[in-house]
């Protein structure tokens, strides 16, 4: 099963891997017999693959629905990383669609749930979304706060300087 999941990470539409995952799930069900439905990581994989397919077909709304459904299945402490990845994908999709408030809700959830050391991966995206909602000053305040909490991103100071310059805060921009 792990092999098939790794293959899908590289080639999302690989029919042999999809069939292998289905086969493994069926065998598992046959061995265990009827039981209480459990959250299924293969379901998360299938839903994220469906989202990718919907995006490739130009249907971001259906892709978002699939990603939100996948996120519902990624609950619990073992799925924290996966849930974060799904929230980030949804936030980016919302931003691409110009749904700035929705996108920022996702980024806020990420800021609250991930370690400071991981925030650098998306903090500039979050700041841009906030800038579009509340303006440059709010985005600069957020970046300043994140920087003071220890967020590291190679372009953070440059972005903060550009924002300060736009606001006429030349002493901060330098």
């Amino acid at each position: 099963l792990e092999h098939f999941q790794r293959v899908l990470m590289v080639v999302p539409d690989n029919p042999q891997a999809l069939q292998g995952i289905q086969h493994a799930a069926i065998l598992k069900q046959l061995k265990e017999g009827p039981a209480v439905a459990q959250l299924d990581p293969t379901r998360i994989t299938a839903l994220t693959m469906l989202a990718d397919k919907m995006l490739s077909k130009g249907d971001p709304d259906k892709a978002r629905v699939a990603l939100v459904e996948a996120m519902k299945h990624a609950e619990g402490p073992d799925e924290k990383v996966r849930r974060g990845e799904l929230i980030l994908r949804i936030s980016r999709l919302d931003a691409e669609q110009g749904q700035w408030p929705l996108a920022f809700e996702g980024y806020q959830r990420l800021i609250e749930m991930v370690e400071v050391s991981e925030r650098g991966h998306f903090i500039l995206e979050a700041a841009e979304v906030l800038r579009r909602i509340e303006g440059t000053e709010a985005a600069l305040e957020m970046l300043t706060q994140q920087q003071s909490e220890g967020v590291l991103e190679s372009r953070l100071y440059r972005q903060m300087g550009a924002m300060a310059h736009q606001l006429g805060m030349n002493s901060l921009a330098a």
Side-chain angles (χ1 to χ4, degrees), residues 98-134:
Q99 300 291 325
W100 307 117
L102 270 177
F104 192 66
E105 283 178 30
Y107 284 117
Q108 281 183 307
R109 285 181 65 193
L110 281 171
I111 289 169
E112 292 168 7
M113 78 180 275
V114 303
E115 299 293 325
V116 170
S117 62
E118 298 297 315
R119 292 182 198 163
H121 298 292
F122 61 84
I123 200 65
L124 294 181
E125 297 169 34
E128 176 58 22
V129 169
L130 182 60
R131 185 190 68 77
R132 290 176 182 259
I133 298 169
E134 296 184 18

Side-chain angles (χ1 to χ4, degrees), residues 34-158:
V36 177
Q38 303 245 339
L39 296 180
D40 183 1
T42 59
R43 177 110 172 110
I44 298 168
T45 301
L47 286 165
T48 55
M49 288 173 45
L50 175 62
D52 291 337
K53 188 172 188 173
M54 292 296 103
L55 284 172
S56 71
K57 289 185 174 188
D59 197 341
D61 294 333
K62 287 184 181 174
R64 187 181 197 286
V65 169
L67 290 171
V68 168
E69 187 63 26
M71 192 173 61
K72 290 177 186 176
H73 291 277
E75 292 301 323
D78 294 339
E79 293 290 342
K80 184 178 180 182
V81 171
R82 206 164 188 183
R83 189 170 49 252
E85 291 168 355
L86 289 165
I87 292 169
L88 183 58
R89 282 192 66 182
I90 293 167
S91 297
R92 286 175 172 164
L93 181 59
D94 289 340
E96 288 172 16
Q97 300 303 309
Q99 300 291 325
W100 307 117
L102 270 177
F104 192 66
E105 283 178 30
Y107 284 117
Q108 281 183 307
R109 285 181 65 193
L110 281 171
I111 289 169
E112 292 168 7
M113 78 180 275
V114 303
E115 299 293 325
V116 170
S117 62
E118 298 297 315
R119 292 182 198 163
H121 298 292
F122 61 84
I123 200 65
L124 294 181
E125 297 169 34
E128 176 58 22
V129 169
L130 182 60
R131 185 190 68 77
R132 290 176 182 259
I133 298 169
E134 296 184 18
T136 304
E137 189 169 350
L140 178 58
E141 287 175 21
M142 192 228 3
L143 287 178
T144 302
Q145 174 65 35
Q146 292 301 310
Q147 184 266 331
S148 71
E149 290 179 19
V151 172
L152 299 175
E153 208 294 332
S154 61
R155 299 163 295 168
L156 184 65
Y157 289 108
R158 190 176 328 134

Side-chain angles (χ1 to χ4, degrees), residues 14-35:
N14 185 295
Q16 290 87 8
L18 291 171
Q19 187 176 16
I21 288 174
Q22 285 180 322
H23 185 69
I26 291 168
L27 286 176
K28 182 180 176 187
Q29 182 63 30
L30 290 173
K31 284 181 187 175
E32 296 175 0

